[in-house]
Amino acid sequence: MSSVTNNAAVEHPVRERMPAAERRELILGHASEVFGRRGYAGTTTEQIAQAAGISQPYVVRMFGTKEKLFVEVIERALGKLTVAFREVLRLHSTGEIPSNELGARLGQAYVDLIEDRGILMSLMQGFIQGHDPVIGERARAGFLEIYRLLRDEANFPADEVRSFLADGMLINTLLAIGLPDNFEGDEAATELMTLSFGAKLDTVLCAATDRPADRAQANLP
Amino acid sequence: MSSVTNNAAVEHPVRERMPAAERRELILGHASEVFGRRGYAGTTTEQIAQAAGISQPYVVRMFGTKEKLFVEVIERALGKLTVAFREVLRLHSTGEIPSNELGARLGQAYVDLIEDRGILMSLMQGFIQGHDPVIGERARAGFLEIYRLLRDEANFPADEVRSFLADGMLINTLLAIGLPDNFEGDEAATELMTLSFGAKLDTVLCAATDRPADRAQANLP
DNA sequence: GCCTCTGGTTATTGATTGATTACTAAGCAG
DNA sequence: CTGCTTAGTAATCAATCAATAACCAGAGGC
């Protein structure tokens, strides 16, 4: 780090000021990941700050409270999920997806979301926090939103929607227990993951091995 | 103890010393409920102590650490779940349950466990804590244990087991978001719960209305 | 060339909270 | 009764954490 020349101004091309909206989205992304892994109560605003590369008070000041930040995180996750579903529905309405494939394509859209671990996991952490008066309220509303979208907009029979959601919750649980990262060749685990993740299995296992940005805790000597 | 005239001594007929093993199980029961509702990180040992009617240090001393207590809680839940399943399998092996009913009866056994909210919810909280090195390890092992039990002892095809587990995870999620307690007549919620809980629906809704021992937080003005 | 938003930081604090220590009392054995 | 083991409590501590306060700098407008 000892620059021979005295030109200090050229030393930080990465360190820049950032417009608030952009910083906000950046924080939400990292918060999604950390909340998704450690849960609401198990996550500190400091951990999120470190992941986002800023100071802890700034995180708090930008979102008011930790709880408001969490609500925004699950709202964002819910948004991305519905956008993904509605995109499939749009392709269906334009005839690009035949009706007999619609279910499979919606399932595919869900599984595709696995790649951003934070979305599915933070959403699941929101569900599990259902006892909380404010988070729980949002979680229930969100879950029913998805249910209605699949039933009323995709026109699926109620029990098919239920089954679809069940498969989703299993996927979430398998990700939550970290099976793709820790199955170590176990035969039963491999079988269950093959059946659950389908064609996306290799992607899931690949995303597991290259650790997703764990640089946050690489600095406590 | 035979002094009837002493009015102070007669004041606590309920307050008795309890053998450690019995107290231990009592704590585990209450811990199961509180952990199940608020999660691992979101639960304080003080809350568990209050629920169990003892002092906080005693909870810690009996189990060593909060983490060890949590592991015992999910171990206990896992135990009760496997006991319930194996009882169905026993009835099947003695011919009291025909093979074509086995799946339904196992499902029934699972749904029956809803009555003790703590079991399913604390287990789910264990799953969601999968990132934790010690809790996660136990959660993964427990999940695969159940998978193998259904596949190898109940002799179900792998994909039926997957589907069975998926239904279970949906039930857990619906309970976690507290839908039975807060659906308020919502049409979609009612439909989804009817499909998910089946014949057990009224029991679920009934267990929801009579609040399960919420006296713990009746003191924060 | 100054002024003033906007995007940040460092320092600090009050409340929790898991854990420890030291103490007390019940109850059984002899 | 005496004494030891077992069941429990009260007091306290050291860390952690969300939140607040106070301050600072870069960059554009004028």
Side-chain angles (χ1 to χ4, degrees):
Chain A
M1 279 297 181
S2 56
S3 61
V4 182
T5 64
N6 248 356
N7 287 350
V10 84
E11 271 298 75
H12 45 127
V14 189
R15 269 275 180 256
E16 277 173 18
R17 284 174 61 135
M18 198 178 282
E22 190 178 336
R23 181 68 79 187
R24 195 184 178 81
E25 176 59 23
L26 189 144
I27 296 177
L28 281 173
H30 286 282
S32 189
E33 209 177 292
V34 183
F35 272 138
R37 208 179 322 136
R38 316 178 70 105
Y40 172 64
T43 297
T44 72
T45 54
E46 171 69 33
Q47 290 167 337
I48 294 171
Q50 279 197 340
I54 54 173
S55 69
Q56 177 264 337
Y58 195 37
V59 172
V60 173
R61 218 190 38 183
M62 180 158 277
F63 294 91
T65 65
K66 179 182 164 184
E67 188 178 66
K68 283 179 187 167
L69 168 56
F70 186 74
V71 169
E72 284 213 36
V73 163
I74 64 174
E75 218 122 65
R76 174 173 168 276
L78 225 35
K80 296 215 175 200
L81 181 56
T82 59
V83 161
F85 280 165
R86 273 192 230 279
E87 171 62 12
V88 174
L89 291 180
R90 192 187 62 78
L91 290 176
H92 174 245
S93 74
T94 63
E96 293 175 66
I97 294 180
S99 284
N100 63 336
E101 268 187 32
L102 184 55
R105 293 293 290 266
L106 283 169
Q108 189 61 36
Y110 189 83
V111 177
D112 284 347
L113 284 173
I114 294 179
E115 273 171 68
D116 183 348
R117 240 19 166 251
I119 294 177
L120 295 189
M121 287 300 91
S122 62
L123 205 48
M124 199 64 182
Q125 295 285 359
F127 293 154
I128 218 79
Q129 204 68 14
H131 80 99
D132 181 288
V134 32
I135 295 174
E137 180 58 40
R138 198 66 202 84
R140 282 185 292 277
F143 200 95
L144 291 177
E145 226 170 273
I146 301 294
Y147 179 77
R148 288 204 198 85
L149 183 138
L150 292 169
R151 192 193 57 176
D152 301 336
E153 299 187 39
N155 283 310
F156 278 114
D159 194 64
E160 260 178 60
V161 177
R162 187 208 59 81
S163 184
F164 183 89
L165 292 176
D167 291 353
M169 294 308 107
L170 176 60
I171 286 174
N172 287 356
T173 307
L174 294 182
L175 290 177
I177 62 177
L179 206 57
D181 312 70
N182 300 88
F183 75 112
E184 280 149 13
D186 180 284
E187 162 269 330
T190 307
E191 186 179 74
L192 178 55
M193 286 195 294
T194 303
L195 291 171
S196 303
F197 297 129
K200 208 73 183 177
L201 178 61
D202 45 356
T203 310
V204 172
L205 295 179
C206 181
T209 39
D210 60 80
R211 289 315 206 58
D214 247 325
R215 76 197 60 180
Q217 61 228 51
N219 48 7
L220 345 170
Chain B
M1 278 294 186
S2 55
S3 63
V4 190
T5 52
N6 194 337
N7 44 6
V10 85
E11 272 297 74
H12 43 133
V14 190
R15 271 275 179 256
E16 277 173 19
R17 285 174 60 141
M18 197 179 283
E22 191 178 334
R23 180 68 79 188
R24 193 184 179 82
E25 176 59 24
L26 189 144
I27 296 177
L28 281 173
H30 286 281
S32 189
E33 208 177 292
V34 183
F35 273 137
R37 207 178 325 137
R38 316 178 71 104
Y40 172 62
T43 296
T44 72
T45 54
E46 172 69 33
Q47 289 167 336
I48 294 171
Q50 279 196 340
I54 54 172
S55 69
Q56 178 264 338
Y58 195 37
V59 173
V60 173
R61 219 192 35 185
M62 180 159 277
F63 294 92
T65 66
K66 179 183 165 184
E67 188 178 66
K68 283 179 186 167
L69 168 56
F70 186 74
V71 169
E72 283 213 36
V73 162
I74 63 174
E75 217 122 65
R76 174 173 168 274
L78 225 35
K80 297 216 175 199
L81 181 55
T82 58
V83 161
F85 281 165
R86 274 192 230 277
E87 170 63 12
V88 174
L89 290 180
R90 193 187 61 79
L91 290 176
H92 174 246
S93 72
T94 62
E96 292 174 68
I97 294 179
S99 284
N100 64 336
E101 267 189 31
L102 184 54
R105 293 293 290 268
L106 283 169
Q108 188 61 35
Y110 189 82
V111 177
D112 284 346
L113 283 174
I114 294 178
E115 275 170 69
D116 183 348
R117 234 27 161 249
I119 293 177
L120 295 188
M121 287 300 91
S122 61
L123 205 48
M124 199 65 184
Q125 295 285 359
F127 293 154
I128 219 77
Q129 204 67 15
H131 80 100
D132 182 288
V134 32
I135 296 174
E137 180 58 42
R138 198 65 201 86
R140 282 186 290 277
F143 200 95
L144 291 177
E145 227 170 90
I146 301 293
Y147 179 78
R148 288 204 198 85
L149 183 141
L150 291 169
R151 191 193 57 174
D152 301 335
E153 299 186 39
N155 282 311
F156 278 115
D159 194 65
E160 261 179 58
V161 178
R162 188 208 59 81
S163 184
F164 184 89
L165 291 176
D167 292 353
M169 293 309 105
L170 175 60
I171 287 175
N172 287 356
T173 307
L174 294 181
L175 291 177
I177 63 177
L179 206 57
D181 312 70
N182 301 89
F183 75 113
E184 280 148 13
D186 180 283
E187 162 269 329
T190 308
E191 185 178 76
L192 179 55
M193 286 195 294
T194 303
L195 291 171
S196 303
F197 298 129
K200 209 72 183 178
L201 178 61
D202 45 356
T203 310
V204 172
L205 295 179
C206 182
T209 40
D210 59 82
R211 290 316 206 57
D214 247 324
R215 76 198 61 182
Q217 63 225 52
N219 47 8
L220 359 165

